Amino acid sequence: TMLKKVLLGSLGAVLVLTAGILLGHFGIQRGSTTPDWHLSHDRSLVPMCLSRELTKVPHMATSPGDEKTVQYMLKRWQDPDTGLDQAWREEYKVYLSFPDPNTPNKVTVGDPSDAVLYTAREKEKAYSSDQEDPEVVQPYAAYAPAGHPKGRLVYANQGKPSDYFLLNQTLDLTGTIAITRYGGEGRAGKAINAAPYGVIGVLVYTDPWDINDGKMSDNNETYPYSWYMPPSGVERGSFNTHYGDMLTPYLAAKDDTYRIPEKNITGIPPIPTQPIGFEDAYALICDVKLDIYNREELKNSANVMGVIRGSVEPDRYVIYGNHRDSWVHGAIDPSSGTSVMLEVTRVLGRMVKQGKWRPRRSIIFGSWGAEEFGLIGSTEYTEVNNLNQSNVIYKIPVYIISNATLRASGSPSAQSVILKASKQVKTPGSDSTSVYDNWIRYFNRTSPAYGVIPNVGFLTGAGSDYAAFIHFLGITSMDISYTYDRTKTRARIYPAYHTAYDTFDYASKFIDPGFTSHQTVARTAGNVLMRLADSLLLPFNCSDYAETLEGYLNKAMELNTVLEYPVPAPISEPLQNAVRNFRSAATRLDQLVRDSDLANETPLKVRRINDQLMLLDRAFLDPGAFPDRYGFRHVIWASSKAGQATFPGLADAYTRARSTGLDSDWKEAHRQLSILIQAIQGAAHTLGDAI
Amino acid sequence: TMLKKVLLGSLGAVLVLTAGILLGHFGIQRGSTTPDWHLSHDRSLVPMCLSRELTKVPHMATSPGDEKTVQYMLKRWQDPDTGLDQAWREEYKVYLSFPDPNTPNKVTVGDPSDAVLYTAREKEKAYSSDQEDPEVVQPYAAYAPAGHPKGRLVYANQGKPSDYFLLNQTLDLTGTIAITRYGGEGRAGKAINAAPYGVIGVLVYTDPWDINDGKMSDNNETYPYSWYMPPSGVERGSFNTHYGDMLTPYLAAKDDTYRIPEKNITGIPPIPTQPIGFEDAYALICDVKLDIYNREELKNSANVMGVIRGSVEPDRYVIYGNHRDSWVHGAIDPSSGTSVMLEVTRVLGRMVKQGKWRPRRSIIFGSWGAEEFGLIGSTEYTEVNNLNQSNVIYKIPVYIISNATLRASGSPSAQSVILKASKQVKTPGSDSTSVYDNWIRYFNRTSPAYGVIPNVGFLTGAGSDYAAFIHFLGITSMDISYTYDRTKTRARIYPAYHTAYDTFDYASKFIDPGFTSHQTVARTAGNVLMRLADSLLLPFNCSDYAETLEGYLNKAMELNTVLEYPVPAPISEPLQNAVRNFRSAATRLDQLVRDSDLANETPLKVRRINDQLMLLDRAFLDPGAFPDRYGFRHVIWASSKAGQATFPGLADAYTRARSTGLDSDWKEAHRQLSILIQAIQGAAHTLGDAI
C-alpha cells in the first residue's frame, strides 16, 4: 500500500489539472484525410468568464462552493441549446476528514516559550488574492489523526523507508517529530514509515528546491510576482493510500451500506501529521509541539453525470471525466480540466441539439466529487453502476501548464489514437507546428516499431480518477494533460499545486495567459473523444500493447527476474512463449483488420473485433494477484516498488525474494510469474480468432 | 468449506451420470410450431455397442482405461462423416491421490487377534461382472492421509458437526475411530468435523437404509439380482472440499505453474479415513485399526475438446460438457452422460459435415478429466482459457435412471428453455406423454407466474462440473438428468454409485433396459442445445430470475434475516427496492422483446439484448463476498448452511450473528446485505436500457 503512494507521488506531476477559458473547436482541419465523423463540429468561442465562474468560490468536496459548482455544471449540461441528452447528480455518503473549525491545528516551537509558529490557514490568507470565502474550513492532511505530540524535531528527508532506516542508525528516533519534504514517497507513507521507529508526529513541507527552482524569498521571486510558491504556501493533500471511500471498500456508499469500523481502516497515518509552508519549516528548531484537531465525518458528496446517447451502439460507453472538488479554489487542479470538459460538452451538445450529429457509441461525462480525499467520486461511480456489462474506455482530460507540450498516459493500445489526434491540433501560438511536433521535441522515446515518437506514459499508479477504471475494472484508460517546459524548471509540479494560491489570478497570469493551452487541450481531447465514440472500428492498437509487453519482458530478462528462480525448470521460457503468443495474436488481428473492408462487413463481425479490442485490458485482471493491495487487479499496470518498466508483481516479488532469500518469498515470485503468464495467454486468447 | 460438501452430499443424488445406448434423434416433431432451426436434424440410430465401448475398461483419471476413452472420443469427434469441425486434447498436470499398489489399505478388528476384516478391492472383485482390468489401483477416499490409527470404534451417525457435538456430551472421543454413514455431510467433512474432538480415524459406510431401502442380504435382494448394492459395495469418492486442482488454485496446472506447498492445502481430512461396505461396517466391534497408505502424486490428465463453429456469432459460445473419468467402470457415472454427448455430437456433426446445418453460435464440447478428484478438468478448462471474453452457457447433461422423470437444475433464466424442450420430447415408452407431462407429475412446484410447473432446481453447490462456470465465472448454467421414481424407493442415489458395481451389465439390466431413457435425455439435451446455439434471441427468461429473487426475498423476510439487525436504519427497504428494480427491469426488457420484430431488427440491437441476457448471471459475481470460500463468487447461488431457498451469504451470516450475538457477526450480516443489494441493483442495471 505504501508502494502505491510512492508512485502516486512521482506521478502526481503529470496528473494534476487546470482551469481556463476555451476557444471552442477541436482543431481538426477540413479537407484533411480524416473521416467525416470528426469533422462535423463547430468553431465557436466560449465566454471568457468560464474559468472565473468555476473558480470564484472554494470548492472543496461538500463545501457550499462545491454545491455551486454542481449547480453550474447541471445548468450547462441541461442547457436546451448546448446541453447533453440528459444530466443528473448522483449522491453518495462518504468518510471525509476535516479540521476543527474552532480549534485550528497548531505547530508550536520551543520549550517552554510555546511560541506559536504556525496556525493553519492564517499565513496563506494574506497572499491569496482570490479567497472570497476564506472561512471555508479545509483539512491540510486529510485523515491524519488528531493528537498533541511534543518532541525533538529531526529531519527525515522524504520520509521513505530507507530515510528512517538510515537515520535510525545514528539517532534514537523514539519520541521525535520528523520533518520531511514532499516527494519521493506518498503522503501517508511519510508517517506510516516513521511510526515503527517510535516517531510520534510528522511535519511535511514543500521544499523550494523541489518546487521553486530554489527561489524562496517573497520579494519578487514568488507569487504574486511569479508562478513560484510563496514561503507561506502549504501543500494540502489526502493522507491515505487506498482509493475510494474507506468505510465502504468495493461497495457503493449509500446511506444504508455497511461500513467497516473506523479502527479497521488501514493505509492512513498512525500519528499526527501536518503540512506546513517552507518559511515555517526553515524556522523550526529543537522541540516542537503539534496540536492536531482533525476529525472524520460522514458527508454527502455528488457526481454530476451527463450523457449523449449513441446512435448505433448505445450500449458501448466512452466515459470522459474530470473531478470537480479542489483544495481551496483549484483554478488549475481541477478546474482547468472541468472547463475543458465543459467546452467539449458545449460543442458536442450543440451539434446534438441541432440534430447535426450523434456519435455511434454513447458518451458518458462525469464530474467527480471528492477526488482530493482519495478518488472517491469516480470510484463510487464504478461501484454504484454495473460496468461489467459494456463499456469502452475511460478518459480523463487533465492539464497543467502552457508553453510546452502535451503529456499523456494510457494503456498502450490507446497510444495511437492520442498521437493521431495530436497531429491534427496546432500547438498554442502556432499556425504550423502541431501538438505532435512539439511533443516529440520535448518528450519522446524510441519505439522498435515507429522509431522516435512522442512518449505516452503508463497508468501505473492510483494518481487520479482513472484508478478504479483501469486497475479494478480493466477498462482501457488514458489521461491527457499539458505541461510546462522541463528544460527551464526543475519544479516537481506547478508550484501553487494544492495551495491557496491556485487561483484564477495565478492561472491567468502565470499558467496560461490567454488560455491558449486550454484551447489546445480541448481540441486534442475532443478529437480523441470523437474518434473513440464515432469510429466504426475502435481506434485501439493491440500491436502497440505487444510492443509494451516485449519491452517489459526484455527488462525482466535484464533484471533476471525470470531466470534465477530456485525451481527446477527453466521457467523464463513459458513467459517468453506467452509474450510471443500475444504478439502473434495481435499481428493476426491487425492483419485481419487490414484485409477487411470493414465498412462493408456485417455489423456483428465489426462488433466482434471491437469487443476483442475493448476487452483486451480486461483480460489482464486477476483478482488474486495482489491480495494485499486495495483495488489493484491489473497485472500489467499495478504500481511497483521496483519503479522499472517491467511486470510489477513479478519485479516486486523477485526483488523481495532476492533480498530475503526466504523460500516462501521465492514461492511468491513463482506464483507471480504463473499469474502473469496466465494473464498474457488469456489476453492473447482474447485477441485470437473466435472458434 | 464444510458447508459446500453438505450441499454436495445432498445434491449428489441428482448429479450423477449414466452410460447407455442412444437412439439418435432429439424428438422434435416436424410440423410443430418450433422454428426451423431445430427441426433440421436426422433420426438415425447409434450402434448398440456404444456404452459397452465406453465402459469395458475402468477409466479412472490417468489410468490406461481413461487414455483409451480419450482416444475413443477423439476418433469419434474427428470422424470425417460425423465428427466436429475440430477436436483436440488439452493436458494439465494435477495433484491426485492414490493408494499404494503394493500395500493395500486395511481395516483390522479386535485386539490382539488382528484379524483383517477388510482389505480394499478384495471384496468387490468377486461380485463385479465386468472388471476386465481389476488391477487398476484406485483410491477409495481420495486425499485422505496415510496413517495407522488404532482405537475404540464409535458410531457417529453422519459425521455432522452436531453429531460429534452431541456424542461428545456423553463420551470422551479422544483416541477413538468414528464410523459414519454417507449422507447429511460432505465426505471430507465427516473427518474434518471429527478431528477437533480428538478422533484419530474415520470409517464411512453406505447404509442399506439410505441406499437399498433396507435390503442388505446378498441373496436375491442385491446386485446381480436387483439394482441394490451388495453388502461388499464400497462407495468411493474424493474427500476434498475445494474444487479444481488443489496445488494450483485459480491457475492453470501446467508443468511450470507455481504450486502451493502441500502443507498449505485446506479442506481435506486431517486424519486417516476409509470407506467400507456395509457388511464390514455391521461386523465391526470394539477396537479397530486402520492402515491407510494413500499417497499423493502429480499426474497428467486431459480434457477432450471439440467445436462446431458458429455461422453468425462465432464469438458466442455454448459449452456442453460431461466428465469422462470414473470410479472403476462408471457405466452410469459418467458414461451415461458421455454417451448422450457422443450421440448429440454424432447427430449434429453429421449435419455439419453434410453441409445441411451450422449453428448461429459456436458450440464447444468438453469431455472433462479428473472430475472425480474434485471437478479438476472442467475447472482447468476455465483457468486455461480466457472465458471473460464471450460465451453463453455451460450445460452438462447428466442422467440417472429410467422409468421416472427428468430432473434439471439451472439458473432461473434457463428454466424456460428446458421446459420448452421437455414438451417436445416423449417420455420413454410412450407415444403421447411428453417428458414435461411426466416431469410435472413426479416433481413439481407452484410458480406465482405459471402455477404448477415441473420443478427446475438451483445450482447451489459444487456438485459437478458446472461449479467453476456458474460460481466463479457467472456463466448461466444448467444440469439435466433423468431420475428414478422416488415414490417407489428412498434410495439416496442409485445404489451402485461410486462402487465397482456401476457396470454395463448393471446399467443395461437394472438402470435403463433398452436404453430408452438415455435416448430421452439425448433428445431433450439436444433440443435445449440447439435452441441455445441457434435461436436469434437467447432463450433466457429474465422474469423467471425475478421470480426467484422475489421468492428468496420472501423467505428472507420470513426468516427475519433482513429485519432484525441491531443497526439504526430499517434496512429491509433497500433490499426490497433492489428486488423491485430488478423486476421492473426484467418486465421492461421482456416488453421490449415482445414489442420488437427481432428478425427485422438491426443485428446490433439483437446482440445488445442477447448480451444483457448473457451477462445477467455475471452481474451477480462479487469477488469479495465470500473471501473464505474457494471459488464461490455468485451471491445468489453460493451454497448455504441454512439450506433454505434464500440469499445464501445473508442467511448464513444472519444465522451466525443471531447465534453468537457478537457485534462483529452482526457487522458481517450487514456487509452481506450490502453486497447483495449492490449485486441485485447491478443485475437490474444490466437488464436496463442502454443510455
Side-chain angles (χ1 to χ4, degrees), chain A residues 352-675:
Chain A
V352 168
K353 295 286 184 191
Q354 291 176 343
K356 289 182 179 166
W357 176 78
R358 184 167 287 287
R360 177 182 176 86
R361 302 180 181 86
S362 296
I363 306 177
I364 301 177
F365 294 97
S367 167
W368 317 123
E371 189 264 7
E372 295 292 5
F373 285 89
L375 319 180
I376 291 179
S378 57
T379 305
E380 285 303 316
Y381 175 75
T382 66
E383 289 168 354
V384 168
N385 296 278
N386 178 7
L387 289 182
N388 291 317
Q389 186 188 3
S390 47
N391 43 61
V392 187
I393 55 106
Y394 174 72
K395 197 193 148 305
I396 178 171
V398 288
Y399 175 81
I400 305 186
I401 294 175
S402 60
N403 291 326
T405 184
L406 204 72
R407 282 183 83 94
S409 308
S411 196
S413 51
Q415 168 187 276
S416 61
V417 67
I418 305 173
L419 294 187
K420 278 182 189 154
S422 74
K423 286 182 177 169
Q424 294 188 311
V425 181
K426 293 288 169 281
T427 202
S430 167
D431 282 339
S432 56
T433 309
S434 70
V435 166
Y436 183 96
D437 298 334
N438 216 34
W439 188 1
I440 203 170
R441 190 161 70 87
Y442 280 101
F443 191 48
N444 58 52
R445 69 177 183 97
T446 302
S447 147
Y450 308 109
V452 177
I453 52 171
N455 193 340
V456 176
F458 302 136
L459 297 174
T460 50
S464 193
D465 287 313
Y466 54 77
F469 293 88
I470 183 69
H471 292 304
F472 192 67
L473 296 175
I475 294 174
T476 301
S477 301
M478 61 188 86
D479 186 28
I480 296 176
S481 62
Y482 214 75
T483 191
Y484 46 91
D485 184 348
R486 283 170 185 272
T487 64
K488 295 188 181 146
T489 171
R490 292 180 298 99
R492 178 171 60 80
I493 194 166
Y494 71 98
Y497 169 72
H498 279 205
T499 73
Y501 304 108
D502 185 349
T503 60
F504 182 80
D505 181 68
Y506 179 83
S508 57
K509 281 191 186 135
F510 298 109
I511 300 293
D512 190 13
F515 294 101
T516 53
S517 299
H518 282 67
Q519 184 191 50
T520 301
V521 170
R523 288 174 174 172
T524 311
N527 190 306
V528 169
L529 178 64
M530 290 180 83
R531 288 171 181 271
L532 290 166
D534 240 359
S535 58
L536 179 65
L537 190 73
L538 276 176
F540 288 157
N541 185 315
C542 54
S543 289
D544 289 346
Y545 220 120
E547 183 173 301
T548 298
L549 295 182
E550 286 159 355
Y552 270 33
L553 177 65
N554 290 340
K555 177 61 76 177
M557 304 290 282
E558 188 186 316
L559 299 171
N560 271 343
T561 58
V562 290
L563 295 173
E564 271 193 29
Y565 295 94
V567 290
I571 55 178
S572 64
E573 197 57 26
L575 180 60
Q576 292 172 303
N577 283 343
V579 173
R580 268 196 292 270
N581 284 351
F582 186 95
R583 167 61 83 176
S584 306
T587 303
R588 278 198 308 273
L589 187 60
D590 274 355
Q591 191 63 44
L592 174 71
V593 169
R594 268 196 302 277
D595 293 348
S596 304
D597 177 11
L598 288 178
N600 293 314
E601 275 295 350
T602 62
L604 289 179
K605 177 155 179 200
V606 177
R607 169 66 79 105
R608 186 174 113 205
I609 299 171
N610 278 335
D611 278 0
Q612 289 177 298
L613 294 169
M614 175 180 93
L615 294 170
L616 177 53
D617 262 304
R618 217 124 345 146
F620 286 105
L621 296 183
D622 186 322
F626 312 109
D628 301 329
R629 301 191 54 198
Y630 187 84
F632 283 92
R633 309 197 294 181
H634 197 301
V635 303
I636 307 297
W637 306 129
S639 54
S640 158
K641 273 186 188 135
Q644 299 273 8
T646 188
F647 309 110
L650 185 62
D652 284 357
Y654 172 81
T655 303
R656 183 183 172 86
R658 193 141 96 164
S659 105
T660 67
L662 289 176
D663 180 60
S664 58
D665 287 335
W666 282 114
K667 284 191 161 62
E668 172 61 12
H670 190 186
R671 190 182 80 94
Q672 287 292 339
L673 180 64
S674 292
I675 284 171

Side-chain angles (χ1 to χ4, degrees), chain B residues 155-189:
Chain B
Y155 176 73
N157 193 27
Q158 296 179 312
K160 300 190 294 287
S162 59
D163 290 329
Y164 292 110
F165 178 81
L166 293 171
L167 201 54
N168 195 54
Q169 303 296 303
T170 55
L171 189 69
D172 180 8
L173 293 174
T174 312
T176 63
I177 291 178
I179 180 162
T180 63
R181 60 190 171 97
Y182 272 114
E185 168 66 59
R187 297 183 192 108

Side-chain angles (χ1 to χ4, degrees), chain B residues 64-105:
Chain B
D66 187 60
E67 180 58 30
K68 280 187 193 167
T69 316
V70 165
Q71 295 303 334
Y72 179 78
M73 298 205 64
L74 278 173
K75 195 176 129 207
R76 292 187 61 91
W77 284 358
Q78 291 171 343
D79 185 283
D81 298 321
T82 61
L84 307 174
D85 287 329
Q86 220 186 324
W88 66 94
R89 67 189 290 160
E90 288 181 356
E91 293 283 331
Y92 36 86
K93 183 184 274 181
V94 291
Y95 184 73
L96 305 179
S97 169
F98 301 94
D100 186 325
N102 304 314
T103 325
N105 292 347

Side-chain angles (χ1 to χ4, degrees), chain B residues 375-539:
Chain B
L375 319 180
I376 291 179
S378 57
T379 304
E380 285 302 316
Y381 175 76
T382 66
E383 289 168 355
V384 169
N385 296 280
N386 177 7
L387 289 182
N388 292 317
Q389 185 188 5
S390 48
N391 43 60
V392 187
I393 55 105
Y394 175 73
K395 197 193 148 305
I396 177 171
V398 288
Y399 175 82
I400 305 185
I401 295 176
S402 60
N403 293 324
T405 184
L406 204 72
R407 282 182 83 94
S409 307
S411 195
S413 50
Q415 169 186 275
S416 61
V417 66
I418 305 174
L419 294 186
K420 277 182 189 153
S422 74
K423 284 182 179 169
Q424 293 187 311
V425 180
K426 293 289 169 280
T427 202
S430 167
D431 283 338
S432 55
T433 309
S434 70
V435 166
Y436 183 97
D437 298 334
N438 215 35
W439 187 2
I440 202 171
R441 191 162 70 88
Y442 279 101
F443 191 48
N444 59 52
R445 69 178 183 97
T446 301
S447 147
Y450 307 108
V452 177
I453 54 171
N455 193 340
V456 176
F458 302 136
L459 297 175
T460 50
S464 194
D465 287 314
Y466 54 77
F469 294 87
I470 183 70
H471 292 304
F472 192 67
L473 296 174
I475 295 174
T476 301
S477 301
M478 60 188 87
D479 186 27
I480 295 176
S481 62
Y482 214 74
T483 191
Y484 46 91
D485 184 349
R486 282 169 187 273
T487 64
K488 295 190 181 143
T489 170
R490 292 180 298 99
R492 178 172 61 80
I493 194 166
Y494 71 98
Y497 170 70
H498 279 204
T499 73
Y501 304 108
D502 185 349
T503 60
F504 182 79
D505 181 68
Y506 179 83
S508 57
K509 282 189 186 138
F510 298 110
I511 299 293
D512 190 13
F515 294 101
T516 53
S517 299
H518 281 68
Q519 185 192 49
T520 301
V521 170
R523 288 174 174 173
T524 310
N527 191 307
V528 168
L529 178 64
M530 290 180 83
R531 287 170 181 271
L532 291 165
D534 240 359
S535 57
L536 179 65
L537 191 74
L538 276 176

